[in-house]
Amino acid sequence: PKIGDPTKQIYQEPNLRYRADDEQRTLMSGQVLLRGLFEQELLSSGDNKTAIIRLHTADYALDVLVPDEKKCPKTLQMKHEAYNSDEYKYWIDNSMEVKMVKTFVKEEMGLDEVPSSMLDCLMTTICTDRSLPDSLNDYDGSLGPTPWEDSLQSSSTSAEGVESGDDVTDMFERIANFAIKNYTFHYKYNDAAFAKQGMGPLWKEIMANILPIVDSANNPSSGTPLPKLALFSGHDTTLMPLLATLGDKVWSGTDWPPYASMIQIEIHEITNLNEGSDFPSGYAFRLVYNGAVLTERIDGCAADSELCDSQVLVNQVMIFAKYEERDCEAASVVPPYEKYEDGLAKEMKAASEELVAAPGGVWVVVVFAMFCILLGGMLTFFSMKRQMLKTHGYRQNSLALGGFSMTDMEDDERRFQSEDSPVTESGETPQQTKFDENTLI
């Protein structure tokens, strides 16, 4: 298969394919990386010519860079199965680490449970050099992530120690470790069933750049040259389930990806093959995560080897690398909020159901809704009218960001003809990112 096009710049398609979801932080992360990779090429395009890199994205609500329980209800069912499993309940009920954290949170912070936002709260506070409560201001990085098997065993500092007033150390990390394990439990549960279902569409995109190279007989190229570099810019919640799908030993399930983390999948052509070679397909892959080579952790790959035959990767992921053809139909699932409904919420729900069921109840609801709409419209009208009377003029300002712009493009060979953004059959929106010498990306 043909890879790249030597007549094009290294940062232009088909040499590079840049993919990101429609979030500012993911777009900017990709742009920073590309600026670092191709800075000299980007700046050498000439004073009268702007370097252009095409961006492939999609509507955020429809994108596939993270598992989405709304687009695929079966993933929600799998998530519920994980958190209702005996394995999860045993950890919650018997782990000394969990007991310690819950006791500390209740005694020192006045909270009955560890809130789901606790990890974000801790990290944003410490990373912006804001003050932590004295009882939590003990972070020194010495504890590190707690493996699952260790978290079920007795700790040198027990929950009884917290209750008796003994000093408890490393509580910042202990709470963070609990929050991470609690959040990511379903990623690895049941042989990573949730992660495989949720990340199948993204794996299909990734493998579309690899299969025509390593398995050209069964996946012939369409004739369009394949990219030399395919860059996907996503989230921490993209990387964790991706790693989980590659096997139980690849990712611990307790390590949260640091900022600017990266997974690299390299494809190597093997020449001068000998009989009995470790690479019968003629191609090998190398898996790297934040600089650490993880290839040998994948089942079927040789220990102490950084390279593994490409068919091991193909066999691992192509079983679930699906999009339209994947089964997303779910059985009846109890909405997650019903577990947490308090007495007042249940009473309000019952009263609403009784009202609707009563004779004429539906009309009462309709009339009340119409009255609310009319009242809201009138209040909005008079509020806006009052603001307009106070306004003597206005001025609209535009912000020039050092030549940075994103514009729409119909194809690689055409100049811009319309401000409307075309959407491809895959749901992606081709966009352009411009760079020049003063651009900060």
Side-chain angles (χ1 to χ4, degrees), residues 164-230:
S164 63
D166 293 345
D167 290 336
V168 180
T169 60
D170 302 313
M171 283 313 302
F172 182 99
E173 286 187 272
R174 293 181 191 276
I175 294 175
N177 288 345
F178 167 79
I180 291 171
K181 283 182 279 191
N182 195 49
Y183 184 94
T184 64
F185 176 80
H186 60 297
Y187 285 161
K188 294 190 67 175
Y189 174 75
N190 190 22
D191 193 27
F194 171 92
K196 291 175 179 177
Q197 181 77 3
M199 303 308 292
L202 180 56
W203 268 118
K204 185 174 182 178
E205 273 195 58
I206 294 172
M207 295 304 292
N209 301 306
I210 297 176
L211 284 176
I213 298 174
V214 304
D215 193 14
S216 57
N218 297 318
N219 299 273
S221 174
S222 62
T224 302
L226 297 167
K228 292 184 176 181
L229 171 64

Side-chain angles (χ1 to χ4, degrees), residues 216-243:
S216 57
N218 297 318
N219 299 273
S221 174
S222 62
T224 302
L226 297 167
K228 292 184 176 181
L229 171 64
L231 173 63
F232 295 77
S233 185
H235 303 265
D236 44 16
T237 49
T238 305
L239 301 188
M240 290 186 290
L242 268 181
L243 291 171

Side-chain angles (χ1 to χ4, degrees), residues 112-288:
D112 292 331
E113 295 289 340
V114 179
S116 58
S117 59
M118 179 63 82
L119 184 62
D120 282 343
C121 180
L122 290 175
M123 294 305 175
T124 53
T125 300
I126 197 170
C127 291
T128 53
D129 294 325
R130 286 180 285 179
S131 299
L132 288 162
D134 291 339
S135 57
L136 281 175
N137 195 19
D138 61 358
Y139 176 79
D140 60 9
S142 61
L143 184 63
T146 307
W148 281 102
E149 56 272 17
D150 291 350
S151 70
L152 289 173
Q153 299 173 2
S154 297
S155 171
S156 59
T157 307
S158 65
E160 288 77 9
V162 176
E163 294 174 351
S164 63
D166 293 345
D167 290 336
V168 180
T169 60
D170 302 313
M171 283 313 302
F172 182 99
E173 286 187 272
R174 293 181 191 276
I175 294 175
N177 288 345
F178 167 79
I180 291 171
K181 283 182 279 191
N182 195 49
Y183 184 94
T184 64
F185 176 80
H186 60 297
Y187 285 161
K188 294 190 67 175
Y189 174 75
N190 190 22
D191 193 27
F194 171 92
K196 291 175 179 177
Q197 181 77 3
M199 303 308 292
L202 180 56
W203 268 118
K204 185 174 182 178
E205 273 195 58
I206 294 172
M207 295 304 292
N209 301 306
I210 297 176
L211 284 176
I213 298 174
V214 304
D215 193 14
S216 57
N218 297 318
N219 299 273
S221 174
S222 62
T224 302
L226 297 167
K228 292 184 176 181
L229 171 64
L231 173 63
F232 295 77
S233 185
H235 303 265
D236 44 16
T237 49
T238 305
L239 301 188
M240 290 186 290
L242 268 181
L243 291 171
T245 63
L246 292 174
D248 186 62
K249 295 180 290 186
V250 174
W251 176 62
S252 67
T254 59
D255 291 309
W256 196 274
Y259 183 72
S261 290
M262 180 184 296
I263 299 174
Q264 297 165 244
I265 302 176
E266 305 168 356
I267 302 299
H268 298 257
E269 184 179 6
I270 307 299
T271 58
N272 300 322
L273 287 175
N274 299 319
E275 186 176 350
S277 170
D278 291 334
F279 312 104
S281 70
Y283 291 91
F285 76 95
R286 182 172 180 257
L287 177 67
V288 182

Side-chain angles (χ1 to χ4, degrees), residues 266-382:
E266 305 168 356
I267 302 299
H268 298 257
E269 184 179 6
I270 307 299
T271 58
N272 300 322
L273 287 175
N274 299 319
E275 186 176 350
S277 170
D278 291 334
F279 312 104
S281 70
Y283 291 91
F285 76 95
R286 182 172 180 257
L287 177 67
V288 182
Y289 175 54
N290 289 340
V293 180
L294 305 183
T295 315
E296 65 176 346
R297 299 188 187 183
I298 297 178
D299 290 339
C301 294
D304 302 322
S305 176
E306 294 192 2
L307 296 179
C308 184
D309 189 72
S310 62
Q311 287 305 304
V312 174
L313 177 64
V314 172
N315 295 335
Q316 175 69 29
V317 304
M318 289 310 297
I319 299 174
F320 52 84
K322 303 174 182 178
Y323 186 22
E324 296 90 348
E325 64 271 30
R326 64 177 174 163
D327 178 17
C328 278
E329 185 175 352
S332 178
V333 177
V334 178
Y337 55 80
E338 286 194 7
K339 291 171 56 181
Y340 310 108
E341 281 187 333
D342 56 22
L344 178 60
K346 291 181 179 179
E347 290 179 10
M348 293 175 64
K349 181 179 179 181
S352 300
E353 292 174 348
E354 290 179 5
L355 175 61
V356 172
V362 174
W363 285 107
V364 172
V365 174
V366 171
V367 171
F368 180 72
M370 294 298 294
F371 172 76
C372 291
I373 293 172
L374 179 61
L375 180 61
M378 292 176 63
L379 291 174
T380 302
F381 172 77
F382 287 113

Side-chain angles (χ1 to χ4, degrees), residues 11 32 52 111 172 315 339 410:
Y11 54 80
V32 169
I52 296 174
L111 300 173
F172 182 99
N315 295 335
K339 291 171 56 181
E410 293 187 353

